[in-house]
Short mmCIF file of all heavy atoms in Angstrom, two decimals:
data_model
loop_
_atom_site.label_atom_id
_atom_site.label_comp_id
_atom_site.label_asym_id
_atom_site.label_seq_id
_atom_site.Cartn_x
_atom_site.Cartn_y
_atom_site.Cartn_z
N GLN A 143 64.03 71.81 63.00
CA GLN A 143 63.87 71.79 61.54
C GLN A 143 63.57 70.37 61.05
O GLN A 143 62.72 70.14 60.19
CB GLN A 143 65.13 72.31 60.86
CG GLN A 143 65.06 72.36 59.33
CD GLN A 143 64.06 73.38 58.84
OE1 GLN A 143 64.23 74.57 59.07
NE2 GLN A 143 63.02 72.92 58.18
N ALA A 144 64.29 69.39 61.64
CA ALA A 144 64.07 68.00 61.24
C ALA A 144 62.66 67.55 61.59
O ALA A 144 62.00 66.86 60.80
CB ALA A 144 65.10 67.10 61.92
N ARG A 145 62.19 67.94 62.76
CA ARG A 145 60.84 67.57 63.16
C ARG A 145 59.80 68.25 62.28
O ARG A 145 58.77 67.67 61.93
CB ARG A 145 60.62 67.91 64.63
CG ARG A 145 61.43 67.04 65.58
CD ARG A 145 61.44 67.57 66.99
NE ARG A 145 60.11 67.56 67.60
CZ ARG A 145 59.85 68.08 68.80
NH1 ARG A 145 60.81 68.65 69.51
NH2 ARG A 145 58.63 68.01 69.28
N ALA A 146 60.08 69.50 61.90
CA ALA A 146 59.16 70.21 61.01
C ALA A 146 59.11 69.54 59.63
O ALA A 146 58.05 69.39 59.03
CB ALA A 146 59.60 71.67 60.87
N ASN A 147 60.30 69.11 59.16
CA ASN A 147 60.35 68.43 57.86
C ASN A 147 59.59 67.10 57.90
O ASN A 147 58.89 66.74 56.95
CB ASN A 147 61.80 68.20 57.44
CG ASN A 147 62.50 69.49 57.04
OD1 ASN A 147 61.85 70.49 56.77
ND2 ASN A 147 63.82 69.46 57.01
N ALA A 148 59.77 66.36 59.01
CA ALA A 148 59.07 65.08 59.15
C ALA A 148 57.56 65.29 59.15
O ALA A 148 56.81 64.53 58.53
CB ALA A 148 59.52 64.38 60.42
N LEU A 149 57.10 66.32 59.86
CA LEU A 149 55.68 66.63 59.88
C LEU A 149 55.18 67.00 58.48
O LEU A 149 54.12 66.57 58.05
CB LEU A 149 55.41 67.77 60.87
CG LEU A 149 53.98 68.31 60.91
CD1 LEU A 149 53.01 67.22 61.33
CD2 LEU A 149 53.89 69.51 61.85
N ALA A 150 55.99 67.80 57.77
CA ALA A 150 55.61 68.19 56.41
C ALA A 150 55.48 66.97 55.51
O ALA A 150 54.56 66.88 54.70
CB ALA A 150 56.64 69.17 55.85
N ARG A 151 56.43 66.04 55.66
CA ARG A 151 56.37 64.83 54.84
C ARG A 151 55.09 64.04 55.10
O ARG A 151 54.41 63.60 54.18
CB ARG A 151 57.58 63.94 55.12
CG ARG A 151 58.88 64.42 54.49
CD ARG A 151 59.91 63.30 54.48
NE ARG A 151 60.21 62.82 55.83
CZ ARG A 151 61.18 63.32 56.60
NH1 ARG A 151 61.91 64.34 56.16
NH2 ARG A 151 61.42 62.82 57.80
N ASP A 152 54.77 63.85 56.38
CA ASP A 152 53.59 63.07 56.73
C ASP A 152 52.31 63.73 56.23
O ASP A 152 51.42 63.07 55.68
CB ASP A 152 53.51 62.88 58.25
CG ASP A 152 54.59 61.94 58.77
OD1 ASP A 152 55.22 61.27 57.93
OD2 ASP A 152 54.80 61.90 59.99
N LEU A 153 52.22 65.05 56.41
CA LEU A 153 51.02 65.76 55.97
C LEU A 153 50.88 65.69 54.45
O LEU A 153 49.77 65.50 53.92
CB LEU A 153 51.07 67.22 56.42
CG LEU A 153 50.96 67.46 57.94
CD1 LEU A 153 51.19 68.92 58.26
CD2 LEU A 153 49.59 67.01 58.45
N THR A 154 52.00 65.84 53.74
CA THR A 154 51.96 65.77 52.28
C THR A 154 51.57 64.38 51.81
O THR A 154 50.80 64.21 50.85
CB THR A 154 53.34 66.15 51.70
OG1 THR A 154 53.66 67.47 52.12
CG2 THR A 154 53.32 66.08 50.18
N GLU A 155 52.10 63.35 52.46
CA GLU A 155 51.78 61.98 52.06
C GLU A 155 50.29 61.67 52.27
O GLU A 155 49.65 61.06 51.44
CB GLU A 155 52.63 60.97 52.84
CG GLU A 155 52.45 59.55 52.34
CD GLU A 155 53.41 58.57 52.98
OE1 GLU A 155 54.26 58.99 53.79
OE2 GLU A 155 53.31 57.37 52.66
N VAL A 156 49.73 62.14 53.41
CA VAL A 156 48.31 61.94 53.66
C VAL A 156 47.49 62.61 52.56
O VAL A 156 46.54 62.03 52.03
CB VAL A 156 47.90 62.49 55.04
CG1 VAL A 156 46.39 62.53 55.18
CG2 VAL A 156 48.49 61.63 56.15
N ARG A 157 47.87 63.85 52.22
CA ARG A 157 47.14 64.58 51.19
C ARG A 157 47.23 63.87 49.83
O ARG A 157 46.24 63.76 49.10
CB ARG A 157 47.69 66.01 51.08
CG ARG A 157 46.92 66.89 50.10
CD ARG A 157 47.26 68.37 50.28
NE ARG A 157 48.67 68.62 50.09
CZ ARG A 157 49.52 68.96 51.07
NH1 ARG A 157 49.08 69.05 52.31
NH2 ARG A 157 50.79 69.19 50.82
N THR A 158 48.41 63.35 49.50
CA THR A 158 48.60 62.63 48.24
C THR A 158 47.75 61.37 48.19
O THR A 158 47.11 61.05 47.18
CB THR A 158 50.08 62.26 48.05
OG1 THR A 158 50.87 63.46 48.01
CG2 THR A 158 50.29 61.48 46.76
N LEU A 159 47.75 60.61 49.29
CA LEU A 159 47.00 59.36 49.34
C LEU A 159 45.50 59.60 49.23
O LEU A 159 44.78 58.86 48.56
CB LEU A 159 47.32 58.61 50.64
CG LEU A 159 48.76 58.08 50.75
CD1 LEU A 159 49.02 57.54 52.16
CD2 LEU A 159 49.02 57.00 49.72
N ARG A 160 45.02 60.66 49.87
CA ARG A 160 43.59 60.96 49.80
C ARG A 160 43.19 61.38 48.39
O ARG A 160 42.15 60.97 47.88
CB ARG A 160 43.24 62.05 50.81
CG ARG A 160 43.24 61.55 52.25
CD ARG A 160 42.92 62.63 53.25
NE ARG A 160 42.91 62.10 54.62
CZ ARG A 160 42.82 62.85 55.70
NH1 ARG A 160 42.76 64.16 55.60
NH2 ARG A 160 42.82 62.28 56.89
N THR A 161 44.03 62.20 47.76
CA THR A 161 43.75 62.61 46.39
C THR A 161 43.75 61.41 45.45
O THR A 161 42.91 61.28 44.56
CB THR A 161 44.79 63.65 45.92
OG1 THR A 161 44.75 64.78 46.80
CG2 THR A 161 44.51 64.10 44.49
N LEU A 162 44.72 60.53 45.67
CA LEU A 162 44.83 59.32 44.86
C LEU A 162 43.56 58.49 44.93
O LEU A 162 43.03 58.05 43.91
CB LEU A 162 46.02 58.51 45.35
CG LEU A 162 46.32 57.20 44.61
CD1 LEU A 162 46.98 57.49 43.29
CD2 LEU A 162 47.20 56.31 45.46
N GLN A 163 43.05 58.27 46.12
CA GLN A 163 41.86 57.45 46.29
C GLN A 163 40.61 58.14 45.75
O GLN A 163 39.70 57.49 45.25
CB GLN A 163 41.70 57.09 47.76
CG GLN A 163 42.82 56.16 48.25
CD GLN A 163 42.70 55.78 49.71
OE1 GLN A 163 41.91 54.93 50.07
NE2 GLN A 163 43.47 56.44 50.55
N GLN A 164 40.57 59.47 45.83
CA GLN A 164 39.44 60.21 45.27
C GLN A 164 39.39 60.07 43.75
O GLN A 164 38.32 60.03 43.15
CB GLN A 164 39.53 61.68 45.67
CG GLN A 164 39.27 61.92 47.16
CD GLN A 164 39.63 63.33 47.58
OE1 GLN A 164 40.11 64.14 46.79
NE2 GLN A 164 39.42 63.65 48.86
N ASN A 165 40.57 59.99 43.12
CA ASN A 165 40.63 59.89 41.67
C ASN A 165 40.55 58.44 41.17
O ASN A 165 40.47 58.19 39.97
CB ASN A 165 41.94 60.51 41.14
CG ASN A 165 41.99 62.00 41.38
OD1 ASN A 165 40.96 62.66 41.50
ND2 ASN A 165 43.19 62.55 41.47
N ALA A 166 40.59 57.48 42.11
CA ALA A 166 40.65 56.07 41.72
C ALA A 166 39.38 55.61 41.01
O ALA A 166 39.44 54.76 40.14
CB ALA A 166 40.91 55.20 42.94
N ALA A 167 38.23 56.16 41.41
CA ALA A 167 36.96 55.70 40.83
C ALA A 167 36.95 55.90 39.31
O ALA A 167 36.55 55.00 38.57
CB ALA A 167 35.79 56.44 41.48
N ARG A 168 37.41 57.05 38.85
CA ARG A 168 37.43 57.31 37.41
C ARG A 168 38.39 56.36 36.70
O ARG A 168 38.07 55.80 35.65
CB ARG A 168 37.84 58.77 37.15
CG ARG A 168 37.95 59.12 35.67
CD ARG A 168 38.41 60.56 35.48
NE ARG A 168 39.69 60.79 36.10
CZ ARG A 168 40.86 60.47 35.52
NH1 ARG A 168 40.88 59.89 34.33
NH2 ARG A 168 41.99 60.72 36.13
N THR A 169 39.58 56.17 37.28
CA THR A 169 40.56 55.28 36.67
C THR A 169 40.04 53.85 36.59
O THR A 169 40.19 53.17 35.58
CB THR A 169 41.87 55.31 37.47
OG1 THR A 169 42.35 56.65 37.57
CG2 THR A 169 42.94 54.44 36.83
N LEU A 170 39.42 53.39 37.67
CA LEU A 170 38.87 52.04 37.68
C LEU A 170 37.74 51.88 36.68
O LEU A 170 37.63 50.85 36.01
CB LEU A 170 38.39 51.68 39.09
CG LEU A 170 39.47 51.37 40.12
CD1 LEU A 170 38.87 51.27 41.51
CD2 LEU A 170 40.20 50.08 39.77
N GLN A 171 36.87 52.87 36.57
CA GLN A 171 35.77 52.80 35.63
C GLN A 171 36.29 52.67 34.20
O GLN A 171 35.81 51.85 33.41
CB GLN A 171 34.89 54.03 35.75
CG GLN A 171 33.70 54.05 34.78
CD GLN A 171 32.76 52.87 35.03
OE1 GLN A 171 32.14 52.78 36.08
NE2 GLN A 171 32.67 51.96 34.07
N GLU A 172 37.29 53.46 33.87
CA GLU A 172 37.88 53.38 32.53
C GLU A 172 38.52 52.02 32.30
O GLU A 172 38.40 51.43 31.23
CB GLU A 172 38.92 54.49 32.36
CG GLU A 172 38.30 55.89 32.34
CD GLU A 172 39.35 56.98 32.32
OE1 GLU A 172 40.55 56.64 32.47
OE2 GLU A 172 39.00 58.17 32.16
N GLY A 173 39.20 51.50 33.34
CA GLY A 173 39.84 50.19 33.20
C GLY A 173 38.84 49.07 33.03
O GLY A 173 39.02 48.18 32.19
N LEU A 174 37.77 49.08 33.82
CA LEU A 174 36.75 48.03 33.73
C LEU A 174 36.02 48.09 32.40
O LEU A 174 35.72 47.06 31.78
CB LEU A 174 35.76 48.16 34.89
CG LEU A 174 36.33 47.85 36.28
CD1 LEU A 174 35.31 48.19 37.36
CD2 LEU A 174 36.74 46.39 36.38
N THR A 175 35.74 49.31 31.92
CA THR A 175 35.10 49.45 30.62
C THR A 175 36.01 48.95 29.51
O THR A 175 35.59 48.25 28.59
CB THR A 175 34.72 50.92 30.37
OG1 THR A 175 33.83 51.36 31.40
CG2 THR A 175 34.06 51.09 29.02
N GLY A 176 37.28 49.29 29.63
CA GLY A 176 38.25 48.89 28.61
C GLY A 176 38.41 47.38 28.53
O GLY A 176 38.45 46.81 27.43
N ILE A 177 38.49 46.71 29.68
CA ILE A 177 38.72 45.27 29.63
C ILE A 177 37.47 44.55 29.12
O ILE A 177 37.58 43.53 28.42
CB ILE A 177 39.14 44.73 31.02
CG1 ILE A 177 39.71 43.31 30.87
CG2 ILE A 177 38.00 44.72 32.01
CD1 ILE A 177 40.35 42.76 32.12
N GLN A 178 36.28 45.07 29.41
CA GLN A 178 35.07 44.46 28.88
C GLN A 178 35.04 44.56 27.36
O GLN A 178 34.69 43.60 26.65
CB GLN A 178 33.84 45.12 29.50
CG GLN A 178 33.64 44.78 30.97
CD GLN A 178 32.54 45.59 31.60
OE1 GLN A 178 31.90 46.43 30.95
NE2 GLN A 178 32.30 45.36 32.88
N GLN A 179 35.41 45.73 26.85
CA GLN A 179 35.45 45.92 25.40
C GLN A 179 36.51 45.01 24.77
O GLN A 179 36.27 44.38 23.72
CB GLN A 179 35.76 47.38 25.07
CG GLN A 179 35.83 47.66 23.57
CD GLN A 179 36.21 49.09 23.27
OE1 GLN A 179 36.22 49.95 24.16
NE2 GLN A 179 36.53 49.37 22.02
N ALA A 180 37.67 44.92 25.41
CA ALA A 180 38.76 44.09 24.87
C ALA A 180 38.36 42.62 24.84
O ALA A 180 38.66 41.90 23.88
CB ALA A 180 40.03 44.29 25.70
N ARG A 181 37.67 42.14 25.89
CA ARG A 181 37.23 40.74 25.91
C ARG A 181 36.23 40.46 24.80
O ARG A 181 36.30 39.42 24.13
CB ARG A 181 36.59 40.43 27.27
CG ARG A 181 37.59 40.27 28.41
CD ARG A 181 36.86 40.21 29.73
NE ARG A 181 37.76 40.04 30.86
CZ ARG A 181 37.48 40.44 32.09
NH1 ARG A 181 36.32 41.05 32.35
NH2 ARG A 181 38.35 40.25 33.07
N ALA A 182 35.30 41.39 24.59
CA ALA A 182 34.30 41.19 23.54
C ALA A 182 34.95 41.16 22.17
O ALA A 182 34.62 40.31 21.32
CB ALA A 182 33.25 42.31 23.62
N GLU A 183 35.90 42.07 21.93
CA GLU A 183 36.57 42.10 20.63
C GLU A 183 37.45 40.87 20.44
O GLU A 183 37.58 40.36 19.33
CB GLU A 183 37.40 43.39 20.51
CG GLU A 183 36.55 44.65 20.45
CD GLU A 183 37.38 45.89 20.15
OE1 GLU A 183 38.54 45.73 19.73
OE2 GLU A 183 36.85 47.01 20.33
N LEU A 184 38.06 40.39 21.52
CA LEU A 184 38.88 39.20 21.42
C LEU A 184 38.03 37.98 21.06
O LEU A 184 38.40 37.18 20.20
CB LEU A 184 39.61 38.95 22.75
CG LEU A 184 40.41 37.66 22.85
CD1 LEU A 184 41.51 37.63 21.80
CD2 LEU A 184 41.01 37.51 24.25
N SER A 185 36.89 37.85 21.70
CA SER A 185 35.99 36.73 21.40
C SER A 185 35.59 36.74 19.93
O SER A 185 35.58 35.69 19.26
CB SER A 185 34.74 36.81 22.29
OG SER A 185 33.84 35.78 21.99
N GLN A 186 35.30 37.92 19.39
CA GLN A 186 34.90 38.02 17.98
C GLN A 186 36.07 37.73 17.06
O GLN A 186 35.93 37.06 16.03
CB GLN A 186 34.35 39.42 17.70
CG GLN A 186 33.77 39.58 16.30
CD GLN A 186 32.61 38.64 16.05
OE1 GLN A 186 31.68 38.55 16.85
NE2 GLN A 186 32.67 37.90 14.93
N ALA A 187 37.26 38.22 17.44
CA ALA A 187 38.44 37.99 16.61
C ALA A 187 38.78 36.50 16.53
O ALA A 187 39.17 35.99 15.47
CB ALA A 187 39.64 38.76 17.17
N ILE A 188 38.60 35.78 17.63
CA ILE A 188 38.85 34.33 17.63
C ILE A 188 37.82 33.62 16.75
O ILE A 188 38.16 32.71 15.99
CB ILE A 188 38.82 33.79 19.07
CG1 ILE A 188 40.03 34.32 19.85
CG2 ILE A 188 38.81 32.27 19.07
CD1 ILE A 188 40.01 33.96 21.31
N ALA A 189 36.57 34.05 16.84
CA ALA A 189 35.52 33.43 16.02
C ALA A 189 35.77 33.67 14.54
O ALA A 189 35.43 32.81 13.70
CB ALA A 189 34.16 33.99 16.43
N ASP A 190 36.36 34.81 14.21
CA ASP A 190 36.60 35.16 12.80
C ASP A 190 37.88 34.53 12.25
O ASP A 190 38.10 34.55 11.03
CB ASP A 190 36.70 36.68 12.64
CG ASP A 190 35.38 37.38 12.94
OD1 ASP A 190 34.34 36.70 12.93
OD2 ASP A 190 35.41 38.59 13.22
N ARG A 191 38.73 33.98 13.10
CA ARG A 191 40.03 33.48 12.65
C ARG A 191 39.88 32.19 11.86
O ARG A 191 39.18 31.26 12.28
CB ARG A 191 40.93 33.26 13.87
CG ARG A 191 42.34 32.80 13.52
CD ARG A 191 43.21 32.74 14.76
NE ARG A 191 42.60 31.92 15.80
CZ ARG A 191 43.07 31.83 17.04
NH1 ARG A 191 44.13 32.54 17.40
NH2 ARG A 191 42.47 31.06 17.93
N THR A 192 40.53 32.12 10.73
CA THR A 192 40.42 30.93 9.87
C THR A 192 41.79 30.41 9.42
O THR A 192 41.85 29.49 8.59
CB THR A 192 39.59 31.25 8.62
OG1 THR A 192 40.22 32.33 7.90
CG2 THR A 192 38.17 31.64 9.00
N ASP A 193 42.87 30.97 9.95
CA ASP A 193 44.19 30.65 9.41
C ASP A 193 44.97 29.64 10.25
O ASP A 193 46.15 29.42 10.00
CB ASP A 193 45.02 31.93 9.28
CG ASP A 193 45.18 32.66 10.61
OD1 ASP A 193 44.45 32.33 11.56
OD2 ASP A 193 46.04 33.56 10.69
N LEU A 194 44.34 29.00 11.23
CA LEU A 194 45.06 28.04 12.06
C LEU A 194 45.13 26.68 11.39
O LEU A 194 44.15 26.22 10.78
CB LEU A 194 44.39 27.89 13.43
CG LEU A 194 44.52 29.08 14.38
CD1 LEU A 194 43.72 28.80 15.65
CD2 LEU A 194 45.98 29.35 14.72
N PRO A 195 46.26 25.98 11.50
CA PRO A 195 46.33 24.61 10.97
C PRO A 195 45.45 23.68 11.80
O PRO A 195 45.19 23.94 12.98
CB PRO A 195 47.82 24.25 11.12
CG PRO A 195 48.32 25.16 12.20
CD PRO A 195 47.54 26.42 12.09
N ARG A 196 45.00 22.61 11.21
CA ARG A 196 44.14 21.65 11.90
C ARG A 196 44.70 20.25 11.73
O ARG A 196 45.15 19.88 10.64
CB ARG A 196 42.70 21.70 11.36
CG ARG A 196 42.02 23.03 11.50
CD ARG A 196 40.60 22.95 10.94
NE ARG A 196 39.75 22.14 11.81
CZ ARG A 196 38.90 22.64 12.70
NH1 ARG A 196 38.82 23.95 12.86
NH2 ARG A 196 38.16 21.85 13.45
N ARG A 197 44.64 19.46 12.80
CA ARG A 197 45.08 18.07 12.72
C ARG A 197 43.91 17.12 12.49
O ARG A 197 44.10 15.99 12.05
CB ARG A 197 45.81 17.68 14.01
CG ARG A 197 47.17 18.35 14.16
CD ARG A 197 47.85 17.89 15.45
NE ARG A 197 47.99 16.44 15.49
CZ ARG A 197 48.07 15.73 16.62
NH1 ARG A 197 47.99 16.36 17.79
NH2 ARG A 197 48.20 14.43 16.57
N PHE A 198 42.70 17.59 12.82
CA PHE A 198 41.52 16.77 12.55
C PHE A 198 40.28 17.65 12.61
O PHE A 198 40.33 18.78 13.10
CB PHE A 198 41.40 15.60 13.53
CG PHE A 198 41.13 16.02 14.96
CD1 PHE A 198 39.84 16.16 15.44
CD2 PHE A 198 42.19 16.24 15.83
CE1 PHE A 198 39.60 16.53 16.76
CE2 PHE A 198 41.96 16.61 17.15
CZ PHE A 198 40.67 16.75 17.61
N THR A 199 39.18 17.12 12.10
CA THR A 199 37.88 17.79 12.20
C THR A 199 37.00 16.97 13.13
O THR A 199 36.89 15.74 13.00
CB THR A 199 37.22 17.89 10.81
OG1 THR A 199 38.06 18.64 9.96
CG2 THR A 199 35.86 18.58 10.92
N GLU A 200 36.39 17.65 14.07
CA GLU A 200 35.59 16.96 15.09
C GLU A 200 34.26 16.48 14.51
O GLU A 200 33.61 17.19 13.74
CB GLU A 200 35.33 17.89 16.26
CG GLU A 200 34.54 17.26 17.40
CD GLU A 200 34.23 18.27 18.50
OE1 GLU A 200 34.17 19.49 18.19
OE2 GLU A 200 34.04 17.84 19.65
N ASP A 201 33.87 15.29 14.90
CA ASP A 201 32.56 14.76 14.55
C ASP A 201 31.64 15.00 15.74
O ASP A 201 31.80 14.37 16.79
CB ASP A 201 32.67 13.25 14.27
CG ASP A 201 31.35 12.65 13.79
OD1 ASP A 201 30.28 13.10 14.27
OD2 ASP A 201 31.37 11.75 12.95
N PRO A 202 30.66 15.90 15.63
CA PRO A 202 29.84 16.25 16.79
C PRO A 202 29.01 15.09 17.33
O PRO A 202 28.76 15.01 18.53
CB PRO A 202 28.94 17.37 16.26
CG PRO A 202 28.97 17.24 14.78
CD PRO A 202 30.31 16.68 14.44
#
Side-chain angles (χ1 to χ4, degrees):
Q143 181 67 63
R145 291 167 65 185
N147 289 343
L149 174 61
R151 284 197 300 270
D152 290 348
L153 292 173
T154 301
E155 187 173 358
V156 169
R157 184 165 59 250
T158 300
L159 293 172
R160 287 179 179 171
T161 301
L162 181 77
Q163 293 179 78
Q164 290 169 358
N165 294 335
R168 177 182 59 82
T169 304
L170 285 170
Q171 180 61 65
E172 293 174 352
L174 292 172
T175 301
I177 194 172
Q178 290 172 0
Q179 179 183 349
R181 286 170 179 154
E183 293 188 14
L184 175 61
S185 178
Q186 186 61 50
I188 292 174
D190 294 342
R191 183 174 54 188
T192 59
D193 59 346
L194 289 177
R196 300 181 70 99
R197 290 181 57 206
F198 67 90
T199 300
E200 182 184 26
D201 185 324

